[in-house]
Amino acid sequence: MITIRALQSSDRADLVKILNDTDMFIKAEIDVALELIDTALNKPNQTDYIIRVAVDNSQVMGYVCFGPTPATAGTYDLYWIAVAPHVQGKGIGKELLNHVETEVHARCGYLIVIETSSREKYLPTRNFYLKNGYTVAAQIKDFYRPGDDRVIFVKYFKEENK
Ligand SMILES: CC(C)(COP(=O)(O)OP(=O)(O)OC[C@H]1O[C@@H](n2cnc3c(N)ncnc32)[C@H](O)[C@@H]1OP(=O)(O)O)[C@@H](O)C(=O)NCCC(=O)NCCS
C-alpha cells in the first residue's frame, strides 16, 4: 500500500534516481528540482517548498513538490511531480496529486497552477493533469525554446476558500 509522507534526508538519493530514470528532464531541470529538495531538507523552517514522498514498503516510488505562490491570497504552484518509471500508470501520481489538493485545501488555498511542456514527449503528462480535473488556462508559445511552449494547467477549489 502506498503511503504519502514528508521528505526525509535519506530520500535524496532515491529522488535523484527517479528524476534521472524518468528520462523527461534535462540536467538544468534536475538541478532546479534538487535545489528545491535541498532547500526543503536544509531549511526546516522555510515554508515555500513542501515536499511529499510516496512510499511502498519503505521504497520511495515518487514525490511531489508544491508551495504557496508568493504574494497571492491562496494560489499554490505545483513545481514538480515524478514517479519511478517502473511503477508509472498505477495511480501513484494520482495519489500524490490528491494529497497536494487535500493539503492546499486545508491551508485555505483555492487554486493550483501547474506548468508543463507542449512537447509530444509530455503528452502522457498533460493527459494525466487533464484526467485529474486540471484545465489549460494558457499556452505561451516558444516559452522553453522554439517549438516548445509552456502549457499552464489550473484547478480551482471550493468557493469557501476564496
Ligand atoms: C506524470 C506522472 C507523475 C504521473 O504519475 P503516474 O503514477 O504515472 O500516474 P497515474 O498512474 O496516477 O495516472 C496514469 C495516467 O497518467 C497518464 N500517464 C502519464 N505518464 C504515464 C506513464 N508513463 N505510464 C502510464 N500512464 C501515464 C496516463 O494518461 C494515465 O491514464 P490512465 O490511467 O487512464 O491510463 C508520471 O507518469 C511521471 O513521473 N512522468 C514523468 C515525469 C513528468 O512528466 N512529471 C511532470 C513534469 S511537469
Side-chain angles (χ1 to χ4, degrees):
M1 202 189 80
I2 299 291
T3 50
I4 311 275
R5 60 153 172 78
L7 176 72
Q8 301 169 357
S9 44
S10 55
D11 299 328
R12 193 182 187 281
D14 292 326
L15 298 187
V16 172
K17 182 165 168 40
I18 289 171
L19 285 164
N20 281 298
D21 288 354
T22 57
D23 202 22
M24 291 291 266
F25 307 117
I26 59 173
K27 186 181 176 301
E29 290 170 327
I30 293 180
D31 287 349
V32 173
L34 289 178
E35 217 177 289
L36 304 191
I37 289 168
D38 288 335
T39 300
L41 286 173
N42 300 330
K43 297 184 178 163
N45 294 328
Q46 66 84 33
T47 51
D48 294 332
Y49 306 110
I50 304 158
I51 299 187
R52 302 293 178 240
V53 175
V55 179
D56 186 11
N57 252 332
S58 72
Q59 290 276 104
V60 176
M61 298 298 183
Y63 87 105
V64 64
C65 173
F66 68 103
T69 310
T72 66
T75 299
Y76 280 71
D77 275 302
L78 191 142
Y79 296 110
W80 235 272
I81 183 165
V83 170
H86 70 287
V87 288
Q88 284 177 8
K90 294 177 187 294
I92 297 173
K94 187 184 179 64
E95 283 202 41
L96 283 166
L97 208 48
N98 288 345
H99 183 91
V100 170
E101 292 173 8
T102 303
E103 278 202 49
V104 165
H105 193 256
R107 292 161 188 255
C108 295
Y110 63 84
L111 169 62
I112 295 178
V113 177
I114 310 177
E115 294 168 1
T116 194
S117 157
S118 67
R119 275 185 297 155
E120 185 66 27
K121 195 178 183 184
Y122 277 84
L123 181 63
T125 300
R126 295 194 301 277
N127 283 337
F128 167 74
Y129 296 136
L130 291 171
K131 274 183 192 155
N132 284 287
Y134 289 76
T135 56
V136 176
Q139 182 153 347
I140 305 174
K141 194 172 165 348
D142 299 335
F143 180 86
Y144 295 108
R145 55 195 62 77
D148 186 359
D149 305 351
R150 176 189 265 188
V151 185
I152 302 173
F153 286 89
V154 295
K155 188 167 179 178
Y156 287 86
F157 296 92
K158 292 198 180 109
E159 282 296 315
E160 73 209 36
N161 276 359
K162 280 196 190 174

